[in-house]
Amino acid sequence: MDTKTALPWVTIVATGLFLRAAISLHSYSGQNRPPMYGDYEAQRHWQEVTVNLPVSDWYRNTTDNDLLYWGLDYPPLTAYHSYLVGLWARRWHNESYVALHESRGISTDQHKQFMRNTVLLLDVLLYLPAILYATYTIRKRLTDDRSEVAEWASLTLAVLFPGQILIDNGHFQYNNASLGLCALAVVALVERRTLAGAVLFCLALNYKQMELYHALPFFFYLLRDCFTGSDKSSTVLERLTNGVCRLAVLGVTVLATFLVLWLPWLSSLEAVGQLVHRIFPVARGVFEDKVSNVWCVVNVFVKLRNFPNTTMALVCLLCTLLAVLPSGLHLLLQKSPTIRSFLYSLAVTALGFFLFSFQVHEKSILLVALPVTLLLPLEPLAACWFLQIATFSMLPLLHKDGLTVPFEVVDESDGCGGKFRVVVVSSQFQGKPLLQRHRLVNAALEEELKTIHAFSQKTYTPEQWAGESGP
């Protein structure tokens, strides 16, 4: 790859990291809101639990693990990730970050920087390479448009999708891990590497159970693929036998992946049951806060929380199946299955889950946004429109976290990417003079600023910004 070809890639990645670092300067979920704080504290607490307690106690209620205080409720791969981050904090940063019982609600500037950097690290190592690779490959394999402008536009929009940036780098989560793994699973199927795709999707599903939003299209596509790859000249019995053999290999691969990840809990049915119970907490209710789905709208007229959770769970299951099965069955039964149909089915199915399933959060729209992002090369206008609506749908959550206007970036370099003017709004600027504020911004963007020729900034606290933008 020559310099001319590499420059756009470097520019896209650098801009993506620049915006993520800028968002990281702002507030996060539960900041300065004891006693439970928010998702930031939940992720930190899981690090505390996993590095201090034996594996058998990670999902159990014990004297040292109060499940009512952000008990671990994601699958094993999230737990392993929390363990590795916790070890990193303990051995190479500050043991107080994960001190058992004593680290709750920690909010020092050093700890915030550490936590923010762990998200950026996953962006660099997994999410950005995965989303760029997937979008690029889909465009090359499935479209005839060879316009460089269209190519770079789709790649740029994929990297700069504001919803994912605001949630992971602002609100604070690690959706970039499961979404990155899922994107790699999709591109593996595009390249006809079905077993690799199955393993990657199992990893995504074992990082966040919400990847079930994407599970049915994977299931139907892989099932159909097992019985359509045989030689057309062979007999029906031979094709059926080959299909069953391929299905058996696929099943063993999936089962082996799950066995490896769940191994520490397989010695006891009680331990497996407790893990499953933590992953699927029916008691939480049909939706959280102001999620933009059907049940939140219905709840305006009929208070759904007056109905038993088990009843609502069954109603949600039935409605979800009615919404998503037509797409899945079309994928399974169509005469000539294509990867293009698979991508559309991913988007339709994920949207069906978001609109009708049980226990939906505002952030769940990111699971719909991923396949829509991958459709940017095929449906640029519709996909771009949907991604903006998806971000807007999370406005109540972003407002609660103080992320409604976290930054503004203006490129003043006529497209060359060398001159930027930024506006940064952050509660971290409280009580700090202008020079200190600028030093905070410069420190967060230290690497990115090395490639920028001119950089100007304005910094505000949320209160100052409200006054600045008010009537």
Side-chain angles (χ1 to χ4, degrees):
M1 183 182 292
D2 57 28
T3 303
K4 184 179 179 181
T5 307
L7 184 60
W9 290 93
V10 174
T11 302
I12 291 172
V13 173
T15 304
L17 291 175
F18 173 85
L19 293 178
R20 286 165 169 81
I23 286 288
S24 297
L25 292 171
H26 208 63
S27 60
Y28 52 81
S29 171
Q31 181 169 320
N32 300 323
R33 292 203 297 267
M36 293 299 290
Y37 301 96
D39 279 347
Y40 176 94
E41 170 62 11
Q43 301 289 342
R44 187 216 58 80
H45 181 63
W46 295 346
Q47 298 163 22
E48 171 194 342
V49 167
T50 53
V51 297
N52 287 290
L53 302 182
V55 175
S56 58
D57 287 346
W58 287 0
Y59 292 95
R60 291 176 58 239
N61 196 61
T62 67
T63 54
D64 288 326
N65 186 20
D66 180 6
L67 294 182
L68 295 178
Y69 184 81
W70 296 118
L72 187 57
D73 56 4
Y74 281 175
L77 197 56
T78 286
Y80 299 143
H81 175 227
S82 298
Y83 175 74
L84 292 175
V85 175
L87 279 183
W88 181 16
R90 172 186 280 178
R91 294 187 179 180
W92 290 286
H93 285 271
N94 192 325
E95 190 172 358
S96 67
Y97 295 173
V98 290
L100 191 62
H101 304 311
E102 298 174 4
S103 54
R104 288 190 178 185
I106 185 172
S107 58
T108 64
D109 289 340
Q110 293 77 14
H111 182 258
K112 292 176 187 175
Q113 185 178 18
F114 167 76
M115 292 289 281
R116 292 301 198 184
N117 286 342
T118 63
V119 179
L120 286 170
L121 182 64
L122 267 183
D123 284 326
V124 172
L125 296 181
L126 177 57
Y127 181 76
L128 292 180
I131 205 71
L132 284 169
Y133 178 41
T135 307
Y136 178 80
T137 302
I138 288 169
R139 177 173 175 78
K140 290 298 183 185
R141 297 291 182 93
L142 301 182
T143 70
D144 297 323
D145 184 1
R146 293 294 176 258
S147 165
E148 287 192 7
V149 173
E151 178 177 321
W152 294 119
S154 61
L155 292 172
T156 302
L157 289 170
V159 169
L160 302 185
F161 168 47
Q164 186 271 332
I165 299 175
L166 286 165
I167 293 301
D168 280 4
N169 303 94
H171 173 88
F172 196 91
Q173 280 199 328
Y174 296 103
N175 294 290
N176 50 4
S178 57
L179 295 176
L181 289 168
C182 186
L184 290 176
V186 170
V187 79
L189 297 193
V190 172
E191 296 178 333
R192 305 292 304 161
R193 294 182 286 116
T194 53
L195 290 182
V199 170
L200 286 165
F201 183 70
C202 287
L203 293 177
L205 186 57
N206 275 281
Y207 192 91
K208 282 200 173 183
Q209 64 271 37
M210 284 76 77
E211 280 296 328
L212 284 170
Y213 281 41
H214 302 136
L216 283 177
F218 272 93
F219 171 76
F220 285 122
Y221 183 85
L222 290 172
L223 179 61
R224 176 64 185 261
D225 184 73
C226 288
F227 293 93
T228 55
S230 302
D231 185 359
K232 299 294 183 181
S233 62
S234 57
T235 66
V236 174
L237 181 60
E238 288 173 335
R239 289 201 297 269
L240 181 62
T241 303
N242 289 336
V244 170
C245 290
R246 294 175 67 184
L247 181 60
V249 172
L250 177 64
V252 169
T253 301
V254 170
L255 185 60
T257 305
F258 271 81
L259 287 174
V260 170
L261 294 172
W262 286 57
L263 191 60
W265 297 273
L266 295 180
S267 59
S268 163
L269 285 177
E270 184 272 334
V272 173
Q274 176 64 12
L275 200 163
V276 173
H277 172 71
R278 291 298 303 164
I279 292 175
F280 299 105
V282 178
R284 287 188 180 177
V286 63
F287 63 86
E288 290 190 20
D289 298 323
K290 298 178 177 63
V291 61
S292 301
N293 76 348
V294 168
W295 305 121
C296 193
V297 174
V298 171
N299 190 67
V300 174
F301 307 99
V302 181
K303 298 305 176 185
L304 300 179
R305 298 189 188 275
N306 295 332
F307 295 90
N309 279 337
T310 51
T311 301
M312 284 307 305
L314 290 174
V315 171
C316 291
L317 175 62
L318 178 61
C319 292
T320 303
L321 289 176
L322 289 173
V324 305
L325 276 181
S327 173
L329 292 175
H330 174 260
L331 194 61
L332 178 66
L333 302 175
Q334 64 179 321
K335 187 175 181 180
S336 301
T338 63
I339 199 68
R340 183 186 292 261
S341 299
F342 170 67
L343 291 173
Y344 285 118
S345 182
L346 274 177
V348 169
T349 304
L351 185 58
F353 269 88
F354 178 79
L355 291 176
F356 295 104
S357 66
F358 190 81
Q359 184 53 37
V360 179
H361 196 285
E362 297 104 316
K363 302 185 290 289
S364 301
I365 195 64
L366 296 182
L367 294 155
V368 189
L370 175 66
V372 172
T373 299
L374 299 182
L375 283 169
L376 276 167
L378 307 179
E379 302 282 356
L381 181 61
C384 186
W385 170 82
F386 181 87
L387 293 177
Q388 303 313 308
I389 296 297
T391 303
F392 180 75
S393 75
M394 296 185 287
L395 185 62
L397 176 65
L398 299 174
H399 178 72
K400 184 169 68 175
D401 291 340
L403 291 167
T404 45
V405 192
F407 70 92
E408 173 187 330
V409 180
V410 179
D411 184 351
E412 298 180 325
S413 52
D414 297 323
C416 74
K419 183 179 180 183
F420 289 93
R421 171 170 56 85
V422 304
V423 175
V424 185
V425 184
S426 174
S427 58
Q428 293 189 38
F429 297 147
Q430 296 281 4
K432 291 183 172 64
L434 185 63
L435 183 58
Q436 281 186 265
R437 295 181 183 189
H438 286 192
R439 284 175 177 170
L440 279 174
V441 176
N442 292 341
L445 305 175
E446 182 178 359
E447 292 301 317
E448 290 79 5
L449 290 176
K450 292 177 181 178
T451 62
I452 296 174
H453 300 302
F455 178 76
S456 61
Q457 57 177 291
K458 291 184 178 180
T459 55
Y460 301 91
T461 64
E463 293 79 9
Q464 288 172 332
W465 177 255
E468 183 79 10
S469 56

PDB file of all heavy atoms in Angstrom, residues 351-380:
ATOM      1  N   LEU A 351     -33.982  -5.005  14.301  1.00  0.00           N
ATOM      2  CA  LEU A 351     -34.998  -3.980  14.529  1.00  0.00           C
ATOM      3  C   LEU A 351     -36.259  -4.588  15.142  1.00  0.00           C
ATOM      4  O   LEU A 351     -36.880  -3.987  16.024  1.00  0.00           O
ATOM      5  CB  LEU A 351     -35.335  -3.274  13.220  1.00  0.00           C
ATOM      6  CG  LEU A 351     -36.295  -2.083  13.319  1.00  0.00           C
ATOM      7  CD1 LEU A 351     -35.752  -1.018  14.265  1.00  0.00           C
ATOM      8  CD2 LEU A 351     -36.554  -1.489  11.940  1.00  0.00           C
ATOM      9  N   GLY A 352     -36.622  -5.790  14.700  1.00  0.00           N
ATOM     10  CA  GLY A 352     -37.767  -6.471  15.292  1.00  0.00           C
ATOM     11  C   GLY A 352     -37.566  -6.745  16.770  1.00  0.00           C
ATOM     12  O   GLY A 352     -38.468  -6.543  17.593  1.00  0.00           O
ATOM     13  N   PHE A 353     -36.368  -7.183  17.132  1.00  0.00           N
ATOM     14  CA  PHE A 353     -36.058  -7.413  18.546  1.00  0.00           C
ATOM     15  C   PHE A 353     -36.128  -6.109  19.332  1.00  0.00           C
ATOM     16  O   PHE A 353     -36.648  -6.060  20.447  1.00  0.00           O
ATOM     17  CB  PHE A 353     -34.669  -8.049  18.691  1.00  0.00           C
ATOM     18  CG  PHE A 353     -34.683  -9.546  18.699  1.00  0.00           C
ATOM     19  CD1 PHE A 353     -34.619 -10.265  17.528  1.00  0.00           C
ATOM     20  CD2 PHE A 353     -34.754 -10.234  19.898  1.00  0.00           C
ATOM     21  CE1 PHE A 353     -34.639 -11.648  17.527  1.00  0.00           C
ATOM     22  CE2 PHE A 353     -34.768 -11.620  19.918  1.00  0.00           C
ATOM     23  CZ  PHE A 353     -34.706 -12.332  18.732  1.00  0.00           C
ATOM     24  N   PHE A 354     -35.568  -5.056  18.763  1.00  0.00           N
ATOM     25  CA  PHE A 354     -35.563  -3.770  19.469  1.00  0.00           C
ATOM     26  C   PHE A 354     -36.977  -3.262  19.701  1.00  0.00           C
ATOM     27  O   PHE A 354     -37.296  -2.734  20.773  1.00  0.00           O
ATOM     28  CB  PHE A 354     -34.766  -2.744  18.672  1.00  0.00           C
ATOM     29  CG  PHE A 354     -34.739  -1.378  19.299  1.00  0.00           C
ATOM     30  CD1 PHE A 354     -33.900  -1.089  20.363  1.00  0.00           C
ATOM     31  CD2 PHE A 354     -35.570  -0.365  18.824  1.00  0.00           C
ATOM     32  CE1 PHE A 354     -33.879   0.163  20.959  1.00  0.00           C
ATOM     33  CE2 PHE A 354     -35.556   0.897  19.407  1.00  0.00           C
ATOM     34  CZ  PHE A 354     -34.714   1.159  20.481  1.00  0.00           C
ATOM     35  N   LEU A 355     -37.841  -3.418  18.722  1.00  0.00           N
ATOM     36  CA  LEU A 355     -39.197  -2.871  18.824  1.00  0.00           C
ATOM     37  C   LEU A 355     -40.113  -3.692  19.717  1.00  0.00           C
ATOM     38  O   LEU A 355     -41.008  -3.136  20.360  1.00  0.00           O
ATOM     39  CB  LEU A 355     -39.812  -2.767  17.418  1.00  0.00           C
ATOM     40  CG  LEU A 355     -39.206  -1.726  16.481  1.00  0.00           C
ATOM     41  CD1 LEU A 355     -39.847  -1.825  15.106  1.00  0.00           C
ATOM     42  CD2 LEU A 355     -39.355  -0.320  17.045  1.00  0.00           C
ATOM     43  N   PHE A 356     -39.898  -5.018  19.784  1.00  0.00           N
ATOM     44  CA  PHE A 356     -40.895  -5.865  20.433  1.00  0.00           C
ATOM     45  C   PHE A 356     -40.385  -6.749  21.571  1.00  0.00           C
ATOM     46  O   PHE A 356     -41.198  -7.306  22.303  1.00  0.00           O
ATOM     47  CB  PHE A 356     -41.554  -6.781  19.383  1.00  0.00           C
ATOM     48  CG  PHE A 356     -42.344  -6.047  18.350  1.00  0.00           C
ATOM     49  CD1 PHE A 356     -41.840  -5.866  17.067  1.00  0.00           C
ATOM     50  CD2 PHE A 356     -43.596  -5.536  18.640  1.00  0.00           C
ATOM     51  CE1 PHE A 356     -42.569  -5.187  16.095  1.00  0.00           C
ATOM     52  CE2 PHE A 356     -44.337  -4.855  17.685  1.00  0.00           C
ATOM     53  CZ  PHE A 356     -43.818  -4.680  16.410  1.00  0.00           C
ATOM     54  N   SER A 357     -39.071  -6.910  21.735  1.00  0.00           N
ATOM     55  CA  SER A 357     -38.597  -7.902  22.694  1.00  0.00           C
ATOM     56  C   SER A 357     -38.651  -7.384  24.130  1.00  0.00           C
ATOM     57  O   SER A 357     -38.994  -6.238  24.400  1.00  0.00           O
ATOM     58  CB  SER A 357     -37.178  -8.369  22.347  1.00  0.00           C
ATOM     59  OG  SER A 357     -36.247  -7.311  22.483  1.00  0.00           O
ATOM     60  N   PHE A 358     -38.299  -8.245  25.047  1.00  0.00           N
ATOM     61  CA  PHE A 358     -38.387  -7.980  26.482  1.00  0.00           C
ATOM     62  C   PHE A 358     -37.063  -7.414  26.992  1.00  0.00           C
ATOM     63  O   PHE A 358     -35.996  -7.809  26.545  1.00  0.00           O
ATOM     64  CB  PHE A 358     -38.713  -9.299  27.207  1.00  0.00           C
ATOM     65  CG  PHE A 358     -39.064  -9.149  28.651  1.00  0.00           C
ATOM     66  CD1 PHE A 358     -40.341  -8.778  29.045  1.00  0.00           C
ATOM     67  CD2 PHE A 358     -38.117  -9.389  29.643  1.00  0.00           C
ATOM     68  CE1 PHE A 358     -40.676  -8.660  30.387  1.00  0.00           C
ATOM     69  CE2 PHE A 358     -38.433  -9.264  30.974  1.00  0.00           C
ATOM     70  CZ  PHE A 358     -39.716  -8.898  31.354  1.00  0.00           C
ATOM     71  N   GLN A 359     -37.151  -6.505  27.956  1.00  0.00           N
ATOM     72  CA  GLN A 359     -35.977  -5.917  28.596  1.00  0.00           C
ATOM     73  C   GLN A 359     -35.081  -5.206  27.576  1.00  0.00           C
ATOM     74  O   GLN A 359     -33.943  -5.605  27.312  1.00  0.00           O
ATOM     75  CB  GLN A 359     -35.182  -6.989  29.366  1.00  0.00           C
ATOM     76  CG  GLN A 359     -33.980  -6.475  30.171  1.00  0.00           C
ATOM     77  CD  GLN A 359     -34.350  -5.339  31.117  1.00  0.00           C
ATOM     78  OE1 GLN A 359     -35.417  -5.353  31.698  1.00  0.00           O
ATOM     79  NE2 GLN A 359     -33.484  -4.377  31.263  1.00  0.00           N
ATOM     80  N   VAL A 360     -35.627  -4.162  26.980  1.00  0.00           N
ATOM     81  CA  VAL A 360     -34.910  -3.378  25.968  1.00  0.00           C
ATOM     82  C   VAL A 360     -34.453  -2.064  26.585  1.00  0.00           C
ATOM     83  O   VAL A 360     -35.192  -1.420  27.321  1.00  0.00           O
ATOM     84  CB  VAL A 360     -35.812  -3.099  24.749  1.00  0.00           C
ATOM     85  CG1 VAL A 360     -35.073  -2.258  23.713  1.00  0.00           C
ATOM     86  CG2 VAL A 360     -36.281  -4.409  24.137  1.00  0.00           C
ATOM     87  N   HIS A 361     -33.224  -1.678  26.290  1.00  0.00           N
ATOM     88  CA  HIS A 361     -32.661  -0.413  26.775  1.00  0.00           C
ATOM     89  C   HIS A 361     -32.426   0.508  25.586  1.00  0.00           C
ATOM     90  O   HIS A 361     -32.335   0.048  24.442  1.00  0.00           O
ATOM     91  CB  HIS A 361     -31.339  -0.688  27.512  1.00  0.00           C
ATOM     92  CG  HIS A 361     -30.880   0.444  28.370  1.00  0.00           C
ATOM     93  ND1 HIS A 361     -30.322   1.588  27.848  1.00  0.00           N
ATOM     94  CD2 HIS A 361     -30.895   0.611  29.709  1.00  0.00           C
ATOM     95  CE1 HIS A 361     -30.007   2.425  28.836  1.00  0.00           C
ATOM     96  NE2 HIS A 361     -30.344   1.853  29.973  1.00  0.00           N
ATOM     97  N   GLU A 362     -32.317   1.803  25.855  1.00  0.00           N
ATOM     98  CA  GLU A 362     -32.037   2.751  24.764  1.00  0.00           C
ATOM     99  C   GLU A 362     -30.807   2.337  23.964  1.00  0.00           C
ATOM    100  O   GLU A 362     -30.765   2.452  22.741  1.00  0.00           O
ATOM    101  CB  GLU A 362     -31.804   4.170  25.304  1.00  0.00           C
ATOM    102  CG  GLU A 362     -33.003   4.792  26.016  1.00  0.00           C
ATOM    103  CD  GLU A 362     -32.817   4.769  27.518  1.00  0.00           C
ATOM    104  OE1 GLU A 362     -32.378   3.725  28.039  1.00  0.00           O
ATOM    105  OE2 GLU A 362     -33.111   5.790  28.167  1.00  0.00           O
ATOM    106  N   LYS A 363     -29.788   1.849  24.663  1.00  0.00           N
ATOM    107  CA  LYS A 363     -28.521   1.501  24.010  1.00  0.00           C
ATOM    108  C   LYS A 363     -28.669   0.332  23.041  1.00  0.00           C
ATOM    109  O   LYS A 363     -27.797   0.112  22.198  1.00  0.00           O
ATOM    110  CB  LYS A 363     -27.467   1.161  25.062  1.00  0.00           C
ATOM    111  CG  LYS A 363     -27.186   2.272  26.060  1.00  0.00           C
ATOM    112  CD  LYS A 363     -26.047   1.909  26.999  1.00  0.00           C
ATOM    113  CE  LYS A 363     -26.416   0.808  27.971  1.00  0.00           C
ATOM    114  NZ  LYS A 363     -27.374   1.254  28.997  1.00  0.00           N
ATOM    115  N   SER A 364     -29.752  -0.440  23.175  1.00  0.00           N
ATOM    116  CA  SER A 364     -29.938  -1.613  22.316  1.00  0.00           C
ATOM    117  C   SER A 364     -30.062  -1.236  20.849  1.00  0.00           C
ATOM    118  O   SER A 364     -29.888  -2.094  19.967  1.00  0.00           O
ATOM    119  CB  SER A 364     -31.184  -2.394  22.751  1.00  0.00           C
ATOM    120  OG  SER A 364     -31.080  -2.809  24.100  1.00  0.00           O
ATOM    121  N   ILE A 365     -30.348   0.024  20.550  1.00  0.00           N
ATOM    122  CA  ILE A 365     -30.443   0.455  19.158  1.00  0.00           C
ATOM    123  C   ILE A 365     -29.102   0.285  18.442  1.00  0.00           C
ATOM    124  O   ILE A 365     -29.050   0.179  17.209  1.00  0.00           O
ATOM    125  CB  ILE A 365     -30.918   1.932  19.072  1.00  0.00           C
ATOM    126  CG1 ILE A 365     -31.368   2.285  17.636  1.00  0.00           C
ATOM    127  CG2 ILE A 365     -29.829   2.879  19.545  1.00  0.00           C
ATOM    128  CD1 ILE A 365     -32.559   1.517  17.161  1.00  0.00           C
ATOM    129  N   LEU A 366     -28.007   0.213  19.185  1.00  0.00           N
ATOM    130  CA  LEU A 366     -26.693  -0.007  18.575  1.00  0.00           C
ATOM    131  C   LEU A 366     -26.630  -1.362  17.883  1.00  0.00           C
ATOM    132  O   LEU A 366     -25.875  -1.548  16.929  1.00  0.00           O
ATOM    133  CB  LEU A 366     -25.582   0.082  19.633  1.00  0.00           C
ATOM    134  CG  LEU A 366     -25.390   1.441  20.314  1.00  0.00           C
ATOM    135  CD1 LEU A 366     -24.228   1.377  21.295  1.00  0.00           C
ATOM    136  CD2 LEU A 366     -25.161   2.545  19.292  1.00  0.00           C
ATOM    137  N   LEU A 367     -27.418  -2.336  18.372  1.00  0.00           N
ATOM    138  CA  LEU A 367     -27.445  -3.658  17.750  1.00  0.00           C
ATOM    139  C   LEU A 367     -28.149  -3.621  16.404  1.00  0.00           C
ATOM    140  O   LEU A 367     -27.886  -4.446  15.528  1.00  0.00           O
ATOM    141  CB  LEU A 367     -28.140  -4.654  18.688  1.00  0.00           C
ATOM    142  CG  LEU A 367     -27.381  -4.909  19.992  1.00  0.00           C
ATOM    143  CD1 LEU A 367     -28.324  -5.371  21.086  1.00  0.00           C
ATOM    144  CD2 LEU A 367     -26.280  -5.932  19.765  1.00  0.00           C
ATOM    145  N   VAL A 368     -29.063  -2.687  16.227  1.00  0.00           N
ATOM    146  CA  VAL A 368     -29.683  -2.471  14.916  1.00  0.00           C
ATOM    147  C   VAL A 368     -28.735  -1.667  14.038  1.00  0.00           C
ATOM    148  O   VAL A 368     -28.626  -1.900  12.832  1.00  0.00           O
ATOM    149  CB  VAL A 368     -31.031  -1.733  15.062  1.00  0.00           C
ATOM    150  CG1 VAL A 368     -31.765  -1.723  13.738  1.00  0.00           C
ATOM    151  CG2 VAL A 368     -31.888  -2.362  16.156  1.00  0.00           C
ATOM    152  N   ALA A 369     -28.049  -0.716  14.650  1.00  0.00           N
ATOM    153  CA  ALA A 369     -27.165   0.171  13.887  1.00  0.00           C
ATOM    154  C   ALA A 369     -26.003  -0.576  13.244  1.00  0.00           C
ATOM    155  O   ALA A 369     -25.523  -0.172  12.181  1.00  0.00           O
ATOM    156  CB  ALA A 369     -26.635   1.277  14.795  1.00  0.00           C
ATOM    157  N   LEU A 370     -25.541  -1.683  13.864  1.00  0.00           N
ATOM    158  CA  LEU A 370     -24.396  -2.392  13.286  1.00  0.00           C
ATOM    159  C   LEU A 370     -24.698  -2.927  11.887  1.00  0.00           C
ATOM    160  O   LEU A 370     -23.968  -2.599  10.936  1.00  0.00           O
ATOM    161  CB  LEU A 370     -23.938  -3.519  14.213  1.00  0.00           C
ATOM    162  CG  LEU A 370     -22.822  -4.387  13.619  1.00  0.00           C
ATOM    163  CD1 LEU A 370     -21.539  -3.582  13.457  1.00  0.00           C
ATOM    164  CD2 LEU A 370     -22.569  -5.629  14.455  1.00  0.00           C
ATOM    165  N   PRO A 371     -25.747  -3.766  11.696  1.00  0.00           N
ATOM    166  CA  PRO A 371     -26.007  -4.221  10.317  1.00  0.00           C
ATOM    167  C   PRO A 371     -26.374  -3.086   9.373  1.00  0.00           C
ATOM    168  O   PRO A 371     -26.054  -3.154   8.174  1.00  0.00           O
ATOM    169  CB  PRO A 371     -27.175  -5.214  10.482  1.00  0.00           C
ATOM    170  CG  PRO A 371     -27.784  -4.912  11.803  1.00  0.00           C
ATOM    171  CD  PRO A 371     -26.673  -4.398  12.662  1.00  0.00           C
ATOM    172  N   VAL A 372     -27.016  -2.037   9.890  1.00  0.00           N
ATOM    173  CA  VAL A 372     -27.317  -0.889   9.034  1.00  0.00           C
ATOM    174  C   VAL A 372     -26.019  -0.216   8.594  1.00  0.00           C
ATOM    175  O   VAL A 372     -25.878   0.210   7.441  1.00  0.00           O
ATOM    176  CB  VAL A 372     -28.237   0.106   9.770  1.00  0.00           C
ATOM    177  CG1 VAL A 372     -28.404   1.391   8.957  1.00  0.00           C
ATOM    178  CG2 VAL A 372     -29.604  -0.521  10.030  1.00  0.00           C
ATOM    179  N   THR A 373     -25.053  -0.126   9.495  1.00  0.00           N
ATOM    180  CA  THR A 373     -23.742   0.422   9.136  1.00  0.00           C
ATOM    181  C   THR A 373     -23.093  -0.401   8.035  1.00  0.00           C
ATOM    182  O   THR A 373     -22.505   0.146   7.087  1.00  0.00           O
ATOM    183  CB  THR A 373     -22.825   0.455  10.376  1.00  0.00           C
ATOM    184  OG1 THR A 373     -23.404   1.283  11.378  1.00  0.00           O
ATOM    185  CG2 THR A 373     -21.446   0.987  10.022  1.00  0.00           C
ATOM    186  N   LEU A 374     -23.215  -1.726   8.143  1.00  0.00           N
ATOM    187  CA  LEU A 374     -22.624  -2.594   7.122  1.00  0.00           C
ATOM    188  C   LEU A 374     -23.368  -2.502   5.799  1.00  0.00           C
ATOM    189  O   LEU A 374     -22.830  -2.898   4.752  1.00  0.00           O
ATOM    190  CB  LEU A 374     -22.623  -4.048   7.621  1.00  0.00           C
ATOM    191  CG  LEU A 374     -21.819  -4.299   8.908  1.00  0.00           C
ATOM    192  CD1 LEU A 374     -21.855  -5.771   9.280  1.00  0.00           C
ATOM    193  CD2 LEU A 374     -20.388  -3.821   8.765  1.00  0.00           C
ATOM    194  N   LEU A 375     -24.592  -1.969   5.822  1.00  0.00           N
ATOM    195  CA  LEU A 375     -25.350  -1.764   4.593  1.00  0.00           C
ATOM    196  C   LEU A 375     -25.053  -0.418   3.934  1.00  0.00           C
ATOM    197  O   LEU A 375     -25.614  -0.110   2.872  1.00  0.00           O
ATOM    198  CB  LEU A 375     -26.854  -1.862   4.885  1.00  0.00           C
ATOM    199  CG  LEU A 375     -27.415  -3.275   5.075  1.00  0.00           C
ATOM    200  CD1 LEU A 375     -28.829  -3.218   5.623  1.00  0.00           C
ATOM    201  CD2 LEU A 375     -27.366  -4.067   3.768  1.00  0.00           C
ATOM    202  N   LEU A 376     -24.193   0.389   4.538  1.00  0.00           N
ATOM    203  CA  LEU A 376     -23.863   1.696   3.953  1.00  0.00           C
ATOM    204  C   LEU A 376     -23.399   1.600   2.499  1.00  0.00           C
ATOM    205  O   LEU A 376     -23.806   2.431   1.670  1.00  0.00           O
ATOM    206  CB  LEU A 376     -22.794   2.390   4.803  1.00  0.00           C
ATOM    207  CG  LEU A 376     -23.293   3.177   6.021  1.00  0.00           C
ATOM    208  CD1 LEU A 376     -22.135   3.543   6.934  1.00  0.00           C
ATOM    209  CD2 LEU A 376     -24.042   4.444   5.585  1.00  0.00           C
ATOM    210  N   PRO A 377     -22.576   0.621   2.130  1.00  0.00           N
ATOM    211  CA  PRO A 377     -22.173   0.544   0.712  1.00  0.00           C
ATOM    212  C   PRO A 377     -23.327   0.193  -0.220  1.00  0.00           C
ATOM    213  O   PRO A 377     -23.274   0.517  -1.407  1.00  0.00           O
ATOM    214  CB  PRO A 377     -21.124  -0.586   0.715  1.00  0.00           C
ATOM    215  CG  PRO A 377     -20.654  -0.679   2.128  1.00  0.00           C
ATOM    216  CD  PRO A 377     -21.849  -0.350   2.968  1.00  0.00           C
ATOM    217  N   LEU A 378     -24.364  -0.480   0.302  1.00  0.00           N
ATOM    218  CA  LEU A 378     -25.484  -0.917  -0.535  1.00  0.00           C
ATOM    219  C   LEU A 378     -26.644   0.066  -0.515  1.00  0.00           C
ATOM    220  O   LEU A 378     -27.330   0.242  -1.524  1.00  0.00           O
ATOM    221  CB  LEU A 378     -25.974  -2.292  -0.070  1.00  0.00           C
ATOM    222  CG  LEU A 378     -24.930  -3.401   0.050  1.00  0.00           C
ATOM    223  CD1 LEU A 378     -25.571  -4.678   0.554  1.00  0.00           C
ATOM    224  CD2 LEU A 378     -24.264  -3.642  -1.300  1.00  0.00           C
ATOM    225  N   GLU A 379     -26.911   0.659   0.634  1.00  0.00           N
ATOM    226  CA  GLU A 379     -28.041   1.578   0.806  1.00  0.00           C
ATOM    227  C   GLU A 379     -27.560   2.849   1.519  1.00  0.00           C
ATOM    228  O   GLU A 379     -27.927   3.112   2.658  1.00  0.00           O
ATOM    229  CB  GLU A 379     -29.134   0.905   1.642  1.00  0.00           C
ATOM    230  CG  GLU A 379     -29.667  -0.391   1.091  1.00  0.00           C
ATOM    231  CD  GLU A 379     -30.646  -0.177  -0.042  1.00  0.00           C
ATOM    232  OE1 GLU A 379     -30.956   0.999  -0.349  1.00  0.00           O
ATOM    233  OE2 GLU A 379     -31.110  -1.172  -0.627  1.00  0.00           O
ATOM    234  N   PRO A 380     -26.717   3.648   0.869  1.00  0.00           N
ATOM    235  CA  PRO A 380     -26.080   4.776   1.571  1.00  0.00           C
ATOM    236  C   PRO A 380     -27.068   5.791   2.143  1.00  0.00           C
ATOM    237  O   PRO A 380     -26.918   6.211   3.294  1.00  0.00           O
ATOM    238  CB  PRO A 380     -25.188   5.409   0.497  1.00  0.00           C
ATOM    239  CG  PRO A 380     -25.724   4.913  -0.812  1.00  0.00           C
ATOM    240  CD  PRO A 380     -26.283   3.557  -0.541  1.00  0.00           C
TER     241      PRO A 380
END
